Amino acid sequence: MLYSCKLKSVCHLPVIYNKKINTAGTSNTDVPLADPGMYQLDITLRRGQSLAARDRGGTSDPYVKFKIGGKEVFRSKIIHKSLNPVWEEKACLLVDHLKEPLYIKVFDYDFGLQDDFMGSAFLDLTQLELNRPTDVTVTLKDPHYPDHDLGIILLSVVLTPKEGEHRDVTQSLRLSDVHRKPHLWRGIVSITLIEGRDLKAMDSNGLSDPYVKFRLGHQKYKSKIMPKTLNPQWREQFDFHLYEERGGIIDITAWDKDAGKRDDFIGRCQIDLSALSREQTHKLELQLEEGEGHLVLLVTLTASATVSISDLSVNSLEDPKEREEILKRYSPLRIFHNLKDVGFLQVKVIRAEGLMAADVTGKSDPFCVVELNNDRLLTHTVYKNLNPEWNKVFTFNIKDIHSVLEVTVYDEDRDRSADFLGKVAIPLLSIQNGEQKAYVLKNKQLTGPTKGVIYLEIDVIFNAVKASLRTLIPKEQKYIEEENRLSKQLLLRNFIRMKRCVMVLVNAAYYINSCFDWDSPARSLAAFVLFLFVVWNFELYMIPMLLLLLLTWNYFLIISGKDNRQRDTVVEDMLEDEEEEDDKDDKDSEKKGFINKIYAIQEVCISVQNILDEVASFGERIKNTFNWTIPFLSWLAIVALCAFTLILYLIPLRYIVLVWGINKFTKKLRSPYAIDNNELLDFLSRVPSDVQVVQYQELKPDPSHSPCKRKKNNLG
């Protein structure tokens, strides 16, 4: 069994076959290999010499992986354009026994493509002398071409026996494969992709359909596709987390989208963040290498302390001075101070009960992942326990009050990726401050319960005015989202959802037509009189006033107990069917390799599937705005409609159109790099669709899990 002291993102790799190793130091054959004690292996990755060239320019971008027992335990940084890289990186590994050798693999990094293999070797741990620093030189070989000279890697290693009492202390360092990555950052890199200039034509029509990929460590971003242009205008903004104090390298590649076949490579470039000053916006015009054209970007580096992890004994809101400072920071008097800083979120992850047994021993090794947009923090792992106690406090800065807090419980598995145990999604606006609550864990689709509950205590403090203003700008995009895949159930679900939205309009048209046909004389007479009155007295301000009356009518229906909102069992049933299909697809995925042969058809179907989803979601969001699904947004709509009604009533339409036109024509002159957005669509993007309403519904816990509730003052 292996534990790592240095947290790195990892992936599963094939078995390595080695050919040669040169090791300094005497043999350690006196050490009994069956000794149950633990050893600490301190490794310093020094440098490489005469490595293989894998890139067109006769160089490589090498990095090194260490593996023990088939499991990756360390990954070095990438040294760009060098065959004699110098790393000088240290790793601390805790090893249960010395039978498994340390495998060393070297790769050439190729962004957007599969990394090239540069050679491998292994280090026999039984040959190391205890408590003695040893310089090691390993010769890299390719098992398929054993005669090729691929260079050498120089290491310094120290093997130290650890007493048994250290085992429990070091266990908290074990994290699952998928989640072994650094999660506290030192700053934020804000990037605005402005435009491309004179890009290379990749299509037969002399144009391209360009998009851009960005990568900083494990963080990735993909821009939208701009069809049929060599001078695309993107105007997209996104943020990366900066984990290293010294900066890092952002890899940028430009691609041409081709339906039904592999996308064409246009060019690449890089941004060295260590060369940029902080707290300042830099305009960069980057020449694309291995291609043609330029990319224009704005890059800003800012210091950040937006997240933290602590034990329950260290609690920001329990300290009167810190609590007062936080309340002051988000008071109504500080409306225009840092509009991006909307609020403060504190999450106490206390414990879980009755979790699913994921191991053959009838136990699990659970740990918890807490996510808010792109902020992602982890608890430690509690081993062999179905009722773990974490007692951790996580704090986040809120940039959008309409964000959803996701808490996922996994079972750590040393031999493969973590097993899913359960998940809850909690919209920030639905949180009751200071209440310790048992949340029933849901399945991956968030449609039904799974085994176990998790106890959380959450506090949200935010500035309502800032939150309202932020509602009218685009939502933050997530770095890593699941790839869209073709699903007949998902396609059917989206078609039915869109059909229901269209049927509302069709039924309204039938109702109006029935008034024309005088099917009900009383109704037709009333409609005729109303038509004459409205047309004769119509003013433009009556349109928002009508919407305002609809919102008010639904509000009074709700508070009077005559709620006309119905639980969407149709969507729930479809989601459950979709989950069953996903489970079946996971089991049969290896048998469906032929799907790659009809990639073009699949891509078209996925596009149709996504369009149906967007259209259906748009109609559902409008409905849910008037249904008071999210009261905060409905109240915001009332304020906006009141303002529009008053403006249209008091100000002639020509002046309103004049102001609107002047603003549109001068916007680019006043702010050349402003990102285009539509405030109405940004508002609707915060309203949940019917699918999201089902996913965010809180399940009722089993009475045996009713927690002891503790109330505080509501801070929101």
Side-chain angles (χ1 to χ4, degrees), residues 262-287:
R262 185 172 180 176
D263 295 348
D264 297 321
F265 176 75
I266 295 179
R268 73 171 74 237
C269 56
Q270 292 180 334
I271 302 175
D272 185 357
L273 298 178
S274 62
L276 302 180
S277 57
R278 303 211 171 200
E279 311 299 337
Q280 180 181 347
T281 299
H282 306 267
K283 181 182 178 182
L284 305 178
E285 296 187 16
L286 304 176
Q287 171 74 42

Side-chain angles (χ1 to χ4, degrees), residues 694-706:
V694 173
Q695 291 176 335
Y696 300 158
Q697 279 177 353
E698 186 178 327
L699 300 178
K700 293 183 179 180
D702 190 285
S704 61
H705 292 299
S706 58

Side-chain angles (χ1 to χ4, degrees), residues 277-341:
S277 57
R278 303 211 171 200
E279 311 299 337
Q280 180 181 347
T281 299
H282 306 267
K283 181 182 178 182
L284 305 178
E285 296 187 16
L286 304 176
Q287 171 74 42
L288 291 176
E289 301 175 4
E290 305 176 34
E292 300 175 6
H294 296 77
L295 295 179
V296 181
L297 307 99
L298 300 179
V299 182
T300 307
L301 276 68
T302 56
S304 174
T306 58
V307 300
S308 69
I309 306 176
S310 62
D311 294 322
L312 281 180
S313 57
V314 184
N315 186 343
S316 298
L317 295 181
E318 293 290 346
D319 186 337
K321 290 185 178 179
E322 287 195 40
R323 179 189 179 91
E324 183 179 350
E325 181 64 29
I326 292 171
L327 288 171
K328 182 179 178 181
R329 190 194 314 168
Y330 301 108
S331 69
L333 300 178
R334 302 191 55 144
I335 297 174
F336 299 106
H337 179 74
N338 191 3
L339 288 176
K340 290 186 177 181
D341 187 12

Side-chain angles (χ1 to χ4, degrees), residues 54-57 59 61 81 109-111 113 200 202 253-254 265-269 287-293:
R54 292 289 188 253
D55 294 338
R56 297 177 184 175
T59 63
D61 304 315
K81 294 181 170 45
Y109 171 74
D110 284 323
F111 178 65
L113 303 172
K200 187 176 181 180
M202 307 302 294
T253 52
F265 176 75
I266 295 179
R268 73 171 74 237
C269 56
Q287 171 74 42
L288 291 176
E289 301 175 4
E290 305 176 34
E292 300 175 6

Side-chain angles (χ1 to χ4, degrees), residues 394-676:
F394 301 88
T395 64
F396 302 86
N397 274 19
I398 299 173
K399 292 182 277 188
D400 188 347
I401 195 59
H402 309 288
S403 301
V404 178
L405 176 69
E406 295 183 358
V407 181
T408 311
V409 182
Y410 291 95
D411 167 64
E412 180 185 324
D413 197 320
R414 56 172 298 204
D415 298 321
R416 50 197 171 92
S417 59
D419 295 324
F420 175 86
L421 296 181
K423 180 178 182 179
V424 292
I426 309 168
L428 297 186
L429 285 172
S430 69
I431 291 170
Q432 295 178 322
N433 284 348
E435 179 182 358
Q436 186 183 129
K437 198 170 185 180
Y439 291 88
V440 177
L441 293 173
K442 295 184 177 182
N443 53 34
K444 286 184 180 180
Q445 302 297 330
L446 295 171
T447 55
T450 187
K451 195 173 181 182
V453 296
I454 185 168
Y455 288 81
L456 306 173
E457 184 179 321
I458 312 174
D459 289 275
V460 177
I461 302 173
F462 68 96
N463 184 299
V465 178
K466 285 185 182 181
S468 301
L469 294 175
R470 291 284 293 175
T471 304
L472 304 179
I473 66 174
K475 292 177 65 176
E476 179 182 5
Q477 290 185 291
K478 296 199 75 169
Y479 301 137
I480 303 174
E481 297 189 41
E482 290 187 5
E483 290 285 337
N484 291 323
R485 66 176 181 177
L486 184 61
S487 165
K488 64 180 181 181
Q489 287 293 337
L490 183 58
L491 189 63
L492 177 62
R493 185 191 80 187
N494 292 339
F495 176 78
I496 293 175
R497 290 170 59 208
M498 190 185 75
K499 180 181 176 182
R500 292 166 67 192
C501 294
V502 172
M503 287 306 298
V504 172
L505 300 177
V506 172
N507 291 334
Y510 279 133
Y511 184 85
I512 294 172
N513 192 60
S514 69
C515 294
F516 295 152
D517 293 339
W518 292 83
D519 294 339
S520 172
R523 184 178 63 194
S524 297
L525 180 61
F528 181 59
V529 172
L530 180 63
F531 170 77
L532 294 176
F533 177 79
V534 170
V535 171
W536 184 257
N537 298 282
F538 178 77
E539 297 290 345
L540 202 59
Y541 69 84
M542 292 181 179
I543 296 176
M545 188 173 69
L546 178 63
L547 299 176
L548 183 61
L549 290 175
L550 180 58
L551 269 169
T552 306
W553 172 257
N554 282 337
Y555 176 72
F556 282 113
L557 283 178
I558 293 171
I559 63 174
S560 63
K562 300 177 181 178
D563 190 356
N564 60 350
R565 298 175 295 179
Q566 297 179 350
R567 181 169 178 173
D568 203 335
T569 56
V570 176
V571 173
E572 289 184 15
D573 292 341
M574 286 189 292
L575 283 171
E576 290 174 0
D577 292 341
E578 181 188 333
E579 182 196 355
E580 292 175 2
E581 183 186 290
D582 288 343
D583 293 339
K584 183 178 179 181
D585 287 345
D586 291 339
K587 296 176 182 177
D588 298 340
S589 59
E590 296 181 359
K591 302 177 183 179
K592 295 185 177 180
F594 72 91
I595 196 68
N596 296 325
K597 299 178 182 179
I598 54 171
Y599 176 80
I601 299 176
Q602 176 179 328
E603 187 169 0
V604 172
C605 292
I606 289 175
S607 299
V608 173
Q609 178 176 281
N610 293 340
I611 291 171
L612 290 174
D613 177 56
E614 290 178 9
V615 174
S617 295
F618 184 79
E620 291 166 357
R621 293 177 197 278
I622 294 174
K623 178 198 71 174
N624 290 336
T625 300
F626 288 95
N627 275 355
W628 291 80
T629 300
I630 306 295
F632 181 91
L633 291 172
S634 296
W635 280 116
L636 188 59
I638 282 183
V639 172
L641 289 172
C642 287
F644 292 154
T645 302
L646 201 60
I647 290 172
L648 291 172
Y649 179 75
L650 297 176
I651 302 176
L653 180 61
R654 66 175 64 88
Y655 294 126
I656 297 174
V657 175
L658 190 63
V659 171
W660 175 83
I662 292 173
N663 174 66
K664 283 293 184 182
F665 277 106
T666 61
K667 187 174 182 179
K668 292 298 181 186
L669 299 176
R670 290 181 281 112
S671 183
Y673 302 116
I675 298 174
D676 294 328

Side-chain angles (χ1 to χ4, degrees), residues 18 20-24 41 43 67-68 98-104 121-128 134 136-138 155-157:
N18 54 287
K20 182 178 179 182
I21 173 172
N22 300 323
T23 308
L41 181 63
I43 307 175
K67 295 177 69 179
I68 295 182
L98 303 180
K99 289 182 179 179
E100 295 287 351
L102 173 71
Y103 281 93
I104 302 163
F122 77 86
L123 176 64
D124 187 352
L125 301 183
T126 63
Q127 300 299 312
L128 298 177
T134 305
V136 179
T137 300
V138 295
L155 310 168
S156 293
V157 297

